[in-house]
Amino acid sequence: MIIGYDDNDDASIYKINDDIAVIESLDFFPPIVDDPYTFGLIAATNSISDIYAMGGTPTTALNILCIKNGIDDNVVHSILQGGYDKAYEAGITIAGGHTINGEELLYGLSVSGLVNPKKIMSNNNSKIGDVLIHTKNIGIGIITTALKANQVDKKLNDTICKQMSTLNKYAFEIVSKYNIHSITDITGFSLIGHSFEMAKASNVSFNIYSKNVNMYEDAIQFANMGMIPAGDYRNKESTKEYVAIEGSIDEAVVDVLYSPETSGGLLISIDKKDADICLSELKNNNITASIIGNVAPLNEKYIHIF
Amino acid sequence: MFKIDARGLACPEPVVLTMNAVNKGEKEIEVLVDAMPPVENVTRYAKNNGFEVTKTVDGNTTKLLLKK
């Protein structure tokens, strides 16, 4: 075992020989959008994402499904179809899985992948002077809370569904050509939570400039309306000792920085010399990305938000 | 006084109930909640909609009094 439970990383890695290691990851959750096919796409995208975040290539996957009693067969088929279609796009096969009946509908994948042990992308190797690149927008957890309150219009719903079902494969294929030191994907622990994990594991401080972070404007408005999920407050609470807010930042913007993300983007700690060209290539390929900060010597708090 | 008992309800339900009352024109609303996220969220919503918020804690229950 090279990477296991204690490392707060994105998946487990088991080394077979000097050239091959197996990555394994599992994730599943209840529906966050109404359309079952879209839910399947999102759940699969989210599950497969962990493999890219370790620098690997996904190979196979298994379904994990819990069916709520009384749910229509067509709904189940649509969810699974979404999962299969996204797996196909990622170039992998879903070779079966396991289904149980329960109190709540849940779906996800257990995904296996391969990586060269020398090319594992861990989250503990950020170097002082690195630049932080972040892909996708944040604020999904707040928008899906507003969705439950019927405050989200179809256009915004379509926008977030498209983002959540976009594989990090494309972003990873680009960034992996450059000199990157650490990488992780942004999920339920929020941009700040996952940044904290990476900074702590690397024993450095991250300076994050909130104005440079791509976030949904609607999420800021919904935060002002009190549409903030409990997970957002948990993320703040569990990292408060390690995060310093420097100067005055709008309360709702801070909420969005802590928003739990579903199938979020990548956070990449990249050599400063490569940052601009890497960012340009991401943007030229229509990937939402920005430079959100830099890596500094450890200065009291792991995260400084400006 | 319009009263809402939102104890045991998960976000965004307490805010939705408050919002419905505000949209019906209520100017004085009492909201009972029993967890930190709804306390924060209802307070946030009310303040951003021009209400004054008074908070009293009694055991696990927090009473939010919203006045315009």
Side-chain angles (χ1 to χ4, degrees):
Chain A
M1 186 67 71
I2 310 175
I3 292 179
Y5 185 77
D6 293 336
D7 302 283
N8 282 329
D9 222 314
D10 301 296
S12 75
I13 300 191
Y14 183 81
K15 185 172 160 182
I16 305 285
N17 59 40
D18 286 346
D19 298 319
I20 299 176
V22 176
I23 312 176
E24 290 181 296
S25 182
L26 182 152
D27 207 347
F28 61 108
F29 46 69
I32 48 163
V33 293
D34 291 335
D35 180 58
Y37 177 75
T38 307
F39 171 53
L41 289 177
I42 293 168
T45 306
N46 183 67
S47 298
I48 299 167
S49 181
D50 283 334
I51 306 295
Y52 302 119
M54 303 303 299
T57 306
T59 50
T60 54
L62 298 168
N63 284 318
I64 175 162
L65 176 65
C66 179
I67 302 175
K68 191 178 170 183
N69 292 328
I71 217 155
D72 193 277
D73 276 356
N74 290 331
V75 170
V76 175
H77 290 156
S78 294
I79 293 170
L80 292 174
Q81 189 63 50
Y84 281 107
D85 286 355
K86 193 47 73 175
Y88 180 80
E89 183 190 331
I92 66 173
T93 309
I94 297 178
H98 190 72
T99 303
I100 60 164
N101 289 303
E103 308 253 310
E104 193 176 17
L105 180 63
L106 300 164
Y107 177 61
L109 297 178
S110 161
V111 188
S112 298
L114 296 176
V115 65
N116 182 324
K118 295 178 223 47
K119 293 183 178 168
I120 292 169
M121 278 294 145
S122 169
N123 67 356
N124 64 0
N125 198 32
S126 286
K127 308 277 190 214
I128 292 163
D130 276 2
V131 163
L132 300 169
I133 292 178
H134 168 247
T135 68
K136 294 194 180 180
N137 289 284
I138 58 168
I140 295 286
I142 291 173
I143 296 174
T144 53
T145 302
L147 187 65
K148 288 180 196 155
N150 293 318
Q151 300 292 314
V152 176
D153 62 23
K154 184 175 183 305
K155 185 165 170 259
L156 179 59
N157 187 55
D158 289 350
T159 302
I160 62 162
C161 285
K162 184 159 184 280
Q163 165 163 304
M164 288 189 284
S165 56
T166 298
L167 289 168
N168 284 328
K169 169 186 162 106
Y170 308 106
F172 181 73
E173 281 168 1
I174 291 170
V175 301
S176 62
K177 293 191 279 185
Y178 297 95
N179 193 10
I180 53 179
H181 295 138
S182 279
I183 190 163
T184 193
D185 61 339
I186 307 301
T187 52
F189 200 23
S190 78
L191 175 64
I192 297 302
H194 289 289
S195 297
F196 155 69
E197 280 184 339
M198 192 188 273
K200 181 169 184 275
S202 307
N203 203 34
V204 293
S205 283
F206 283 5
N207 296 319
I208 295 177
Y209 298 89
S210 55
K211 286 195 168 62
N212 297 346
V213 177
N214 287 315
M215 56 181 76
Y216 290 110
E217 276 297 316
D218 299 273
I220 299 172
Q221 287 172 31
F222 289 136
N224 278 323
M225 287 168 65
M227 299 288 164
I228 302 164
D232 196 295
Y233 292 103
R234 278 198 297 274
N235 290 338
K236 280 192 198 108
E237 182 63 24
S238 64
T239 56
K240 66 180 180 189
E241 286 171 60
Y242 312 104
V243 177
I245 294 181
E246 312 287 356
S248 120
I249 301 173
D250 182 52
E251 191 179 31
V253 169
V254 174
D255 295 329
V256 178
L257 291 170
Y258 281 99
S259 160
E261 302 300 312
T262 300
S263 193
L266 296 173
L267 175 69
I268 305 129
S269 185
I270 184 171
D271 192 301
K272 191 181 177 194
K273 290 194 290 290
D274 286 359
D276 287 337
I277 182 151
C278 178
L279 182 68
S280 301
E281 191 175 346
L282 286 166
K283 286 183 170 174
N284 289 341
N285 285 276
N286 295 319
I287 293 167
T288 302
S290 66
I291 289 175
I292 63 163
N294 52 54
V295 181
L298 184 56
N299 171 21
E300 288 184 39
K301 307 284 183 180
Y302 288 111
I303 304 292
H304 296 265
I305 308 175
F306 293 89
Chain B
M1 169 93 68
F2 190 83
K3 294 190 178 187
I4 298 168
D5 187 352
R7 287 176 291 184
L9 299 178
C11 292
E13 203 56 31
V15 170
V16 171
L17 295 173
T18 310
M19 196 186 286
N20 291 344
V22 171
N23 290 342
K24 276 194 283 183
E26 301 291 346
K27 306 282 184 213
E28 259 187 60
I29 308 165
E30 179 192 278
V31 189
L32 300 180
V33 287
D34 58 0
M36 186 272 273
V39 170
E40 293 291 323
N41 284 342
V42 172
T43 304
R44 186 82 67 93
Y45 169 77
K47 285 189 171 168
N48 284 324
N49 281 278
F51 284 84
E52 268 181 44
V53 181
T54 319
K55 186 168 92 172
T56 30
V57 181
D58 180 11
N60 288 331
T61 299
T62 299
K63 184 165 82 180
L64 299 168
L65 194 60
L66 281 42
K67 268 190 185 174
K68 207 172 201 170

Coordinates of all heavy atoms in Angstrom, one line a residue, chain A residues 234-289:
Chain A
R234 N -20.3 23.2 8.3 CA -19.3 22.1 8.8 C -17.9 22.4 8.3 O -16.9 22.2 9.0 CB -19.8 20.7 8.4 CG -20.9 20.1 9.3 CD -21.0 18.6 9.1 NE -21.4 18.3 7.8 CZ -22.6 18.2 7.4 NH1 -23.6 18.4 8.2 NH2 -22.9 17.8 6.1
N235 N -17.8 22.7 7.0 CA -16.5 23.0 6.4 C -15.8 24.1 7.1 O -14.6 24.1 7.3 CB -16.7 23.2 4.9 CG -17.1 22.0 4.1 OD1 -16.8 20.9 4.6 ND2 -17.6 22.2 2.9
K236 N -16.6 25.2 7.4 CA -16.0 26.3 8.1 C -15.5 25.9 9.5 O -14.4 26.3 9.9 CB -17.1 27.4 8.3 CG -17.3 28.3 7.0 CD -18.2 29.5 7.4 CE -18.8 30.1 6.2 NZ -20.3 29.8 6.0
E237 N -16.4 25.2 10.2 CA -16.1 24.9 11.6 C -14.9 24.0 11.7 O -14.0 24.2 12.5 CB -17.4 24.1 12.1 CG -17.3 23.7 13.6 CD -17.2 24.9 14.5 OE1 -17.6 26.0 14.2 OE2 -16.6 24.7 15.6
S238 N -14.8 23.0 10.7 CA -13.7 22.1 10.9 C -12.3 22.6 10.4 O -11.3 22.0 10.7 CB -14.0 20.8 10.1 OG -14.1 21.0 8.8
T239 N -12.3 23.8 9.8 CA -11.0 24.3 9.3 C -10.7 25.7 10.0 O -9.7 26.3 9.6 CB -11.0 24.5 7.8 OG1 -12.1 25.3 7.4 CG2 -11.1 23.2 7.1
K240 N -11.6 26.1 10.8 CA -11.4 27.5 11.3 C -10.1 27.9 12.0 O -9.6 29.0 11.8 CB -12.6 28.0 12.2 CG -12.7 27.2 13.5 CD -13.9 27.7 14.3 CE -13.9 27.0 15.6 NZ -15.2 27.2 16.4
E241 N -9.5 26.9 12.6 CA -8.2 27.1 13.3 C -7.1 27.3 12.3 O -6.0 27.8 12.7 CB -7.8 25.9 14.1 CG -8.6 25.6 15.4 CD -8.2 24.3 15.9 OE1 -7.0 24.1 16.2 OE2 -9.1 23.4 16.1
Y242 N -7.3 26.9 11.1 CA -6.2 26.8 10.1 C -6.3 27.8 9.0 O -5.5 27.9 8.1 CB -6.1 25.4 9.5 CG -6.2 24.3 10.5 CD1 -7.3 23.6 10.7 CD2 -5.1 24.1 11.3 CE1 -7.4 22.6 11.7 CE2 -5.1 23.1 12.3 CZ -6.3 22.3 12.4 OH -6.3 21.3 13.4
V243 N -7.4 28.6 9.0 CA -7.7 29.5 7.9 C -7.8 31.0 8.5 O -8.4 31.2 9.5 CB -9.0 29.2 7.3 CG1 -9.4 30.2 6.2 CG2 -9.0 27.8 6.7
A244 N -7.1 31.9 7.8 CA -7.1 33.3 8.2 C -7.8 34.1 7.0 O -7.4 33.9 5.9 CB -5.8 33.8 8.5
I245 N -8.8 34.9 7.4 CA -9.4 35.8 6.4 C -8.7 37.1 6.5 O -8.8 37.7 7.6 CB -10.9 35.8 6.5 CG1 -11.5 34.4 6.2 CG2 -11.5 36.9 5.6 CD1 -13.0 34.3 6.3
E246 N -8.0 37.5 5.5 CA -7.2 38.7 5.6 C -8.0 39.9 5.0 O -8.3 39.9 3.8 CB -5.9 38.6 4.8 CG -5.1 37.3 5.1 CD -4.5 37.3 6.5 OE1 -4.5 38.3 7.2 OE2 -3.9 36.2 6.9
G247 N -8.3 40.9 5.8 CA -9.1 42.0 5.3 C -10.5 41.7 5.2 O -11.0 40.7 5.8
S248 N -11.3 42.6 4.5 CA -12.7 42.4 4.6 C -13.2 41.7 3.3 O -12.9 42.2 2.2 CB -13.4 43.8 4.8 OG -14.2 44.1 3.7
I249 N -13.8 40.6 3.4 CA -14.4 39.8 2.3 C -15.8 39.6 2.5 O -16.3 39.3 3.6 CB -13.7 38.5 2.1 CG1 -12.2 38.6 2.0 CG2 -14.2 37.7 1.0 CD1 -11.4 37.4 2.0
D250 N -16.6 39.9 1.5 CA -18.1 39.7 1.6 C -18.4 38.4 2.2 O -17.9 37.3 1.8 CB -18.7 39.9 0.2 CG -20.2 39.8 0.2 OD1 -20.8 40.5 1.0 OD2 -20.7 39.0 -0.6
E251 N -19.3 38.4 3.2 CA -19.7 37.2 3.9 C -20.2 36.1 2.9 O -19.9 34.9 3.1 CB -20.8 37.5 4.9 CG -21.2 36.5 5.9 CD -22.4 37.0 6.8 OE1 -23.2 37.8 6.3 OE2 -22.4 36.6 8.0
A252 N -21.0 36.5 2.0 CA -21.6 35.5 1.0 C -20.5 34.9 0.1 O -20.6 33.7 -0.3 CB -22.6 36.2 0.2
V253 N -19.4 35.7 -0.2 CA -18.3 35.1 -1.0 C -17.6 34.1 -0.1 O -17.2 33.0 -0.7 CB -17.3 36.3 -1.4 CG1 -16.1 35.7 -2.0 CG2 -18.0 37.2 -2.4
V254 N -17.4 34.3 1.1 CA -16.8 33.3 2.0 C -17.6 32.1 2.1 O -17.1 30.9 2.0 CB -16.6 33.9 3.5 CG1 -16.1 32.8 4.4 CG2 -15.6 35.1 3.4
D255 N -18.9 32.2 2.1 CA -19.8 31.0 2.1 C -19.6 30.2 0.8 O -19.6 29.0 0.9 CB -21.3 31.5 2.1 CG -21.7 32.2 3.4 OD1 -21.1 31.8 4.5 OD2 -22.6 33.0 3.4
V256 N -19.4 30.9 -0.3 CA -19.2 30.2 -1.5 C -17.9 29.4 -1.5 O -17.7 28.3 -2.0 CB -19.4 31.1 -2.8 CG1 -19.1 30.3 -4.1 CG2 -20.8 31.7 -2.8
L257 N -16.9 30.1 -0.9 CA -15.5 29.4 -0.9 C -15.6 28.1 -0.1 O -14.8 27.2 -0.3 CB -14.5 30.4 -0.2 CG -14.1 31.6 -1.1 CD1 -13.3 32.6 -0.2 CD2 -13.4 31.2 -2.3
Y258 N -16.6 28.0 0.9 CA -16.7 26.8 1.7 C -17.8 25.9 1.2 O -18.1 24.9 1.9 CB -17.0 27.2 3.1 CG -15.8 27.7 3.9 CD1 -15.5 29.0 4.1 CD2 -15.0 26.8 4.5 CE1 -14.4 29.4 4.9 CE2 -13.9 27.1 5.2 CZ -13.6 28.5 5.4 OH -12.5 28.9 6.1
S259 N -18.4 26.3 0.1 CA -19.5 25.5 -0.4 C -19.1 24.1 -0.8 O -18.1 23.9 -1.5 CB -20.1 26.2 -1.7 OG -20.9 25.2 -2.5
P260 N -19.9 23.0 -0.3 CA -19.5 21.7 -0.7 C -19.8 21.5 -2.2 O -20.8 22.0 -2.7 CB -20.6 20.8 0.1 CG -21.2 21.7 1.1 CD -21.0 23.1 0.6
E261 N -18.8 21.0 -2.9 CA -18.9 20.8 -4.3 C -19.2 19.4 -4.7 O -18.8 18.5 -4.0 CB -17.6 21.3 -5.0 CG -17.2 22.7 -4.7 CD -18.3 23.7 -5.2 OE1 -18.8 23.6 -6.3 OE2 -18.7 24.6 -4.4
T262 N -20.0 19.2 -5.7 CA -20.2 17.8 -6.2 C -19.5 17.8 -7.6 O -19.8 18.6 -8.4 CB -21.7 17.6 -6.4 OG1 -22.3 17.7 -5.1 CG2 -22.0 16.2 -6.9
S263 N -18.7 16.8 -7.8 CA -18.0 16.6 -9.0 C -17.3 18.0 -9.4 O -17.5 18.4 -10.5 CB -19.0 16.2 -10.1 OG -18.3 15.8 -11.3
G264 N -16.6 18.5 -8.5 CA -15.9 19.8 -8.7 C -14.7 19.7 -9.6 O -14.4 18.6 -10.1
G265 N -14.0 20.8 -9.7 CA -12.8 20.8 -10.5 C -11.6 20.4 -9.9 O -11.6 19.7 -8.8
L266 N -10.4 20.7 -10.5 CA -9.1 20.3 -9.9 C -8.5 21.5 -9.3 O -8.7 22.6 -9.8 CB -8.2 19.8 -11.1 CG -8.7 18.5 -11.8 CD1 -7.8 18.2 -13.0 CD2 -8.7 17.3 -10.8
L267 N -7.7 21.2 -8.3 CA -6.8 22.3 -7.7 C -5.4 21.8 -8.0 O -5.0 20.7 -7.6 CB -7.0 22.4 -6.2 CG -6.1 23.3 -5.5 CD1 -6.3 24.8 -5.9 CD2 -6.2 23.2 -3.9
I268 N -4.6 22.6 -8.6 CA -3.3 22.2 -9.1 C -2.3 23.1 -8.6 O -2.4 24.3 -8.7 CB -3.3 22.2 -10.7 CG1 -4.4 21.4 -11.2 CG2 -1.9 21.7 -11.2 CD1 -5.3 22.1 -12.3
S269 N -1.2 22.5 -7.9 CA -0.1 23.3 -7.5 C 1.0 23.1 -8.5 O 1.5 22.0 -8.7 CB 0.3 22.8 -6.1 OG 1.4 23.6 -5.6
I270 N 1.3 24.2 -9.3 CA 2.1 24.0 -10.5 C 3.3 24.9 -10.4 O 3.3 26.0 -9.8 CB 1.3 24.4 -11.8 CG1 2.1 24.1 -13.0 CG2 0.7 25.8 -11.7 CD1 1.2 24.2 -14.3
D271 N 4.4 24.5 -11.0 CA 5.6 25.3 -11.0 C 5.3 26.7 -11.6 O 4.6 26.7 -12.7 CB 6.7 24.6 -11.9 CG 8.1 25.2 -11.7 OD1 8.2 26.4 -12.1 OD2 9.0 24.5 -11.3
K272 N 5.8 27.7 -11.0 CA 5.4 29.1 -11.4 C 5.7 29.3 -12.9 O 5.0 30.0 -13.6 CB 6.2 30.1 -10.6 CG 5.7 31.5 -10.7 CD 6.5 32.5 -9.9 CE 6.0 33.9 -10.1 NZ 6.9 34.9 -9.6
K273 N 6.8 28.8 -13.4 CA 7.3 29.0 -14.8 C 6.2 28.5 -15.8 O 6.1 28.9 -16.9 CB 8.6 28.3 -15.0 CG 9.8 29.0 -14.3 CD 11.1 28.6 -14.8 CE 11.5 27.1 -14.5 NZ 11.8 26.9 -13.0
D274 N 5.5 27.4 -15.4 CA 4.6 26.8 -16.3 C 3.1 27.3 -16.2 O 2.3 26.9 -17.0 CB 4.5 25.2 -16.0 CG 5.8 24.5 -16.5 OD1 6.6 25.2 -17.1 OD2 5.9 23.3 -16.3
A275 N 2.9 28.1 -15.1 CA 1.5 28.4 -14.8 C 0.7 29.1 -15.9 O -0.4 28.7 -16.3 CB 1.5 29.2 -13.5
D276 N 1.4 30.2 -16.5 CA 0.6 31.0 -17.5 C 0.3 30.2 -18.7 O -0.8 30.3 -19.3 CB 1.4 32.2 -17.8 CG 1.4 33.3 -16.7 OD1 0.4 33.2 -15.9 OD2 2.3 34.1 -16.6
I277 N 1.3 29.4 -19.2 CA 1.1 28.7 -20.4 C 0.1 27.5 -20.2 O -0.8 27.3 -21.1 CB 2.4 28.2 -21.0 CG1 2.2 27.5 -22.4 CG2 3.2 27.3 -20.1 CD1 3.3 27.6 -23.3
C278 N 0.1 26.9 -19.0 CA -0.8 25.9 -18.7 C -2.2 26.5 -18.7 O -3.2 25.9 -19.2 CB -0.5 25.2 -17.4 SG -1.6 24.0 -16.8
L279 N -2.4 27.6 -18.0 CA -3.7 28.3 -17.9 C -4.2 28.6 -19.3 O -5.4 28.4 -19.6 CB -3.6 29.5 -17.1 CG -4.9 30.3 -16.9 CD1 -5.9 29.5 -16.0 CD2 -4.7 31.6 -16.2
S280 N -3.3 29.1 -20.2 CA -3.8 29.5 -21.5 C -4.3 28.2 -22.3 O -5.3 28.3 -23.0 CB -2.6 30.0 -22.4 OG -2.1 31.2 -21.7
E281 N -3.5 27.1 -22.1 CA -3.9 25.9 -22.8 C -5.3 25.4 -22.3 O -6.1 24.9 -23.1 CB -2.9 24.8 -22.7 CG -3.2 23.7 -23.7 CD -2.1 22.6 -23.8 OE1 -1.0 22.8 -23.3 OE2 -2.4 21.5 -24.3
L282 N -5.5 25.5 -21.0 CA -6.8 25.1 -20.5 C -7.9 25.9 -21.1 O -8.9 25.4 -21.5 CB -6.8 25.3 -18.9 CG -6.0 24.2 -18.1 CD1 -5.8 24.7 -16.7 CD2 -6.7 22.9 -18.1
K283 N -7.7 27.3 -21.1 CA -8.7 28.2 -21.6 C -8.9 28.0 -23.1 O -10.1 28.0 -23.5 CB -8.3 29.6 -21.3 CG -8.5 30.0 -19.8 CD -8.2 31.4 -19.6 CE -8.5 31.9 -18.2 NZ -8.1 33.3 -17.9
N284 N -7.9 27.7 -23.8 CA -8.0 27.5 -25.3 C -8.8 26.2 -25.5 O -9.4 26.1 -26.6 CB -6.6 27.4 -25.9 CG -5.9 28.7 -26.0 OD1 -6.5 29.7 -25.8 ND2 -4.6 28.7 -26.1
N285 N -8.9 25.4 -24.6 CA -9.7 24.1 -24.7 C -11.1 24.3 -24.0 O -11.7 23.2 -23.7 CB -8.9 22.9 -24.2 CG -7.8 22.5 -25.2 OD1 -8.1 21.8 -26.1 ND2 -6.6 23.0 -25.0
N286 N -11.5 25.5 -23.8 CA -12.8 25.8 -23.2 C -13.0 25.2 -21.8 O -14.1 24.8 -21.4 CB -13.9 25.3 -24.1 CG -13.9 26.0 -25.4 OD1 -13.7 27.3 -25.4 ND2 -14.1 25.3 -26.5
I287 N -11.9 25.1 -21.1 CA -12.0 24.7 -19.7 C -12.0 25.9 -18.8 O -11.1 26.7 -18.9 CB -10.9 23.7 -19.3 CG1 -11.0 22.4 -20.1 CG2 -10.8 23.4 -17.8 CD1 -9.9 21.5 -20.1
T288 N -13.0 26.1 -18.0 CA -13.0 27.2 -17.0 C -11.9 27.0 -16.0 O -11.8 26.0 -15.3 CB -14.4 27.2 -16.2 OG1 -15.4 27.3 -17.2 CG2 -14.4 28.3 -15.3
A289 N -11.0 28.0 -16.0 CA -9.8 27.9 -15.1 C -9.3 29.2 -14.7 O -9.5 30.2 -15.5 CB -8.7 27.0 -15.7

